[in-house]
Amino acid sequence: MQLKAGGLLKKHILKKVFYLLLSFSIFLSACNWFKTTPEVGLVLSKHFKDKLYKDFDTAAYNVVFNRHFDSLKLKLSNPKVLGKYYADNERRTDLVTRFYVNGELDTLKNYISRSAAHGFNPQIFNCAVLEQLLAQLSAHQFKSISDVYPVIADLEIYSASSLLKYDTFIGYGSIIPKRVLNRYNVTTLRPDSASMLKVLESKDLLQLLAAIQPAGENYKILQQELANLKRDPSANAATIKTIEVNMERLRWKIPGIGEEYVEVNIPDFSLTWFNHQDTVTHMKVCVGGRREKEYEEKMKIFLKTHSLDDKPRNHQTPILLSKFNSIQVNPVWNIPVSIAQSEIYYQALRDPYYLSNNNMRVYYKGQLIADPDTIQWRKYPREHLPFQFKQGSGEGNALGKFKFIFDNGSSIYLHDTNNKSAFMRDSRAISHGCVRVERPLEFAEKLVDDKYQYDQLRMEVNLPPIDTTKMEVYKKRLAKKADTVNIYQVKPKWFGTKKNVSIFINYKTAWAENGKIEYRNDVYDLDEAIFNAMKKFR
């Protein structure tokens, strides 16, 4: 009995001790004796030498943060990315914790305040809001910790949004060119969610902001010119527009150009071959004619009537990037349907011998028509011509003796021409879209694999080889071509090109050359399209 009573007493005492400890722990908890101050509270407490920030309550702050984030969503840059980043509770004071005390949020604000040097209005990056929030936190005039929460929440959210937008606009450009420009067939890199998260996770904001700045010498010279022009903005308005548009072009990140490339600049009507930024050669080109005036309105009419008489002309050379893969010597011209309908049809209608006199062959369902001069053209509406047209190799071919080929979705290539006088014009936007080259033989020499290939190419166009040991071969070829009994038919022949030589058909109306700004006319009105898209950011 005594043993049993002793056990019950012991049990009763343990129960009392348990409840006593439980009550004590609840009491301590209520008194915040076990509360852990988050890092942001410790950092700000130390910085301001004020224990107020040690009362920072993460749960209470998160409620404020969530409410502010939801209310600001429509004003934020990339709210989905920001939402994903801040879905982690521990990140909701991330930028303030890392970059307020060391002054790097002030550095962000300073970079943004100078964004006019890039042609942007600093307020599109919330410059004034950031400045106000930083000043409010630095003033340190809070009566309670709850007064701090909305300031830190807004500073965190606006800093993150402004940083992402600044990184995108300065590092990649403010517009997506394919959405603004017709016939823009170049891949341009844009920041994705992964790269944006990486920006937000940066440990060194100062280094990140410096790396965002365009580093090319061309860009820096245009930037200096912009600063000079803005001293009298009203007098220099047109030139400022040109400079800002071309700075925007330089911000576009274009992968795959490589160290050796050929650049055709449409407004300059020129071709330049670069190798590690050294100029290998430079020559004139002819490019596609500009599209018809009021093109958009006329296209609406054409789409209703489907009459070719209503279809507006658009021969603009597209902006594209590719790599050369072959040279066709003595090329055959596969005449596009648009040219057949708009030009060849009328020529054949007026002159029944036009096709044979110009070495043009006509095909019907893939079969050659032996005598195209007998075709009754009036029987066929040009909207539904059942024929295909090709101009044979040799003298008179519109492509001349050389065709420089690269993959692209617009059937564009560089080529020789039988109309050399066109290169004497100042304005050379005259072709149907392809690019005519002033010195095609020189261009071919630089593009073929080796000297042997070049000699073979020369002999195909009745030029003697550079290697004199091949003169006998050359003479035999000439004799064969001169044979009046066995008539020689000129046929196309293909030659390989050097590997990895890019062709970049570009469009720029202002650039730095030998420390001086070169300006050209906006032949296709593309500057206007870009500037109109950028207006809201100025």
Side-chain angles (χ1 to χ4, degrees), residues 279-291:
T279 299
V280 176
T281 190
H282 179 84
M283 63 186 72
K284 296 176 182 178
V285 298
C286 298
V287 299
R290 64 173 295 149
R291 67 183 188 177

Side-chain angles (χ1 to χ4, degrees), residues 67 75 102 168 186 197 238 251 290-291 299 307 313 315 342 396 415 473 475 498 511 525:
R67 187 170 65 246
K75 298 180 181 179
N102 65 12
T168 299
V186 178
L197 289 173
R251 288 189 286 264
R290 64 173 295 149
R291 67 183 188 177
M299 271 302 293
S307 170
R313 291 186 303 276
H315 297 314
S342 62
H415 65 90
V473 176
K475 289 176 181 177
K498 289 179 183 178
W511 67 94
D525 289 335

